[in-house]
């Protein structure tokens, strides 16, 4: 089980668990339970490990992005920014937390399948690096909003590749009947690419 513990965890002379320089028992006494602890050493090392291993197996340009839906606070945003990661956000709230933590907007990807017009405006105003477009409604809306600002939004298209993962049905996202992304098999992906390339307010990057 040692590989499950944070890298800085150890038992002190009295047998109490410490994470970093902090006594877990003291933190529990001070804050109560449940108590969530994040180990900076572990987070930094895992970020470096992902970047290192991706660079080892893939010679081309690559990115490692942290999904803020896992958990995000300003301190974590700053930590992952310093480690050179990109960041996925799915709401205006997550975007604001990332920016408050000093995360560069140019390295933020704005995901999500139900973005509002206000959220897209905030993303454009902040200068996020990519808006990940999920559906035709969003494609048209983002084009309109970007043109109104006299600019072009850099976008990626989310595609549904028609691959069914062997996992719980509630978390499958790549199959044909998913609500996420443009279907390749049914021609939606090709149509979305054509629309994006013609749109005056969009720049299709991937």
């Amino acid at each position: 089980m040692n590989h499950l513990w944070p890298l800085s965890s150890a038992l002190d002379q009295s047998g109490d668990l410490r994470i970093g320089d902090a006594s877990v028992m003291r933190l529990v006494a001070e804050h109560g339970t449940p108590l969530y602890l994040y180990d900076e050493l572990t987070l930094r090392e895992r970020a470096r490990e992902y970047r290192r291993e991706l660079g080892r197996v893939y010679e081309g340009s690559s990115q490692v992005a942290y999904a803020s839906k896992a958990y995000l606070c300003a301190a974590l945003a700053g930590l992952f920014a310093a480690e050179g990661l990109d960041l996925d956000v799915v709401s205006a709230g997550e975007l604001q937390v990332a920016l408050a933590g000093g995360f560069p907007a140019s390295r933020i990807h704005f995901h999500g399948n139900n973005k509002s017009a206000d959220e897209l405006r905030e993303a454009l105003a902040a200068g996020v690096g990519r808006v990940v477009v999920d559906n035709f409604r969003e494609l048209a809306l983002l084009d309109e909003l970007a043109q109104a600002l006299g600019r072009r939004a850099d976008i990626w298209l989310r595609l549904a590749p028609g691959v069914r993962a062997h996992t719980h049905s509630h978390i499958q996202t790549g199959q044909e009947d998913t609500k996420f992304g443009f279907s390749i098999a049914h021609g939606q992906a090709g149509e979305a690419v054509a629309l994006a390339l013609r749109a005056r307010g969009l720049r299709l990057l991937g």
Side-chain angles (χ1 to χ4, degrees):
M1 291 263 303
N2 285 344
H3 66 286
L4 298 177
W5 291 98
L7 295 178
S8 69
S9 61
L11 297 179
D12 63 18
Q13 292 180 340
S14 63
D16 287 340
L17 177 64
R18 301 185 71 86
I19 297 179
D21 293 328
S23 162
V24 172
M25 293 303 293
R26 182 180 58 78
L27 291 172
V28 166
E30 182 177 348
H31 300 288
T33 61
L35 177 65
Y36 294 89
L37 305 176
Y38 291 83
D39 179 40
E40 181 177 352
L41 177 65
T42 300
L43 293 171
R44 288 188 183 278
E45 179 52 35
R46 292 297 178 261
R48 293 168 188 173
E49 184 178 13
Y50 270 106
R51 296 187 69 201
R52 183 170 60 246
E53 289 304 305
L54 187 56
R56 185 180 64 80
V57 300
Y58 181 68
E59 295 179 357
S61 175
S62 62
Q63 298 172 334
V64 175
Y66 175 74
S68 59
K69 64 183 178 181
Y71 174 68
L72 188 68
C73 64
L76 277 187
L79 184 152
F80 289 130
E83 291 299 330
L85 269 60
D86 284 23
L87 186 70
D88 288 349
V89 302
V90 298
S91 69
E94 289 180 353
L95 174 60
Q96 291 307 313
V97 171
L99 295 174
F103 206 97
S106 62
R107 284 170 30 210
I108 295 176
H109 319 144
F110 195 0
H111 273 270
N113 68 329
N114 195 29
K115 305 179 195 75
S116 69
D118 285 342
E119 286 179 313
L120 290 172
R121 285 190 194 96
E122 287 190 42
L124 290 171
V128 299
R130 304 287 186 274
V131 177
V132 183
V133 178
D134 198 271
N135 54 67
F136 288 111
R137 178 201 66 83
E138 183 183 337
L139 193 68
L141 177 59
L142 184 60
D143 181 26
E144 176 186 332
L145 295 173
Q147 286 190 61
L149 293 171
R151 57 175 296 187
R152 300 181 76 186
D154 290 337
I155 68 167
W156 287 336
L157 296 177
R158 182 174 184 176
L159 307 183
V163 175
R164 185 174 292 276
H166 299 290
T167 186
H168 195 284
S169 62
H170 288 177
I171 60 171
Q172 291 176 347
T173 58
Q175 72 276 11
E176 277 305 322
D177 59 352
T178 182
K179 65 181 178 180
F180 303 106
F182 299 96
S183 168
I184 295 174
H186 295 159
Q188 294 175 348
E191 184 181 351
V193 168
L195 288 170
L197 291 174
R198 290 198 302 267
R200 290 182 295 170
L202 305 177
R203 184 184 294 110
L204 178 61
L205 300 181

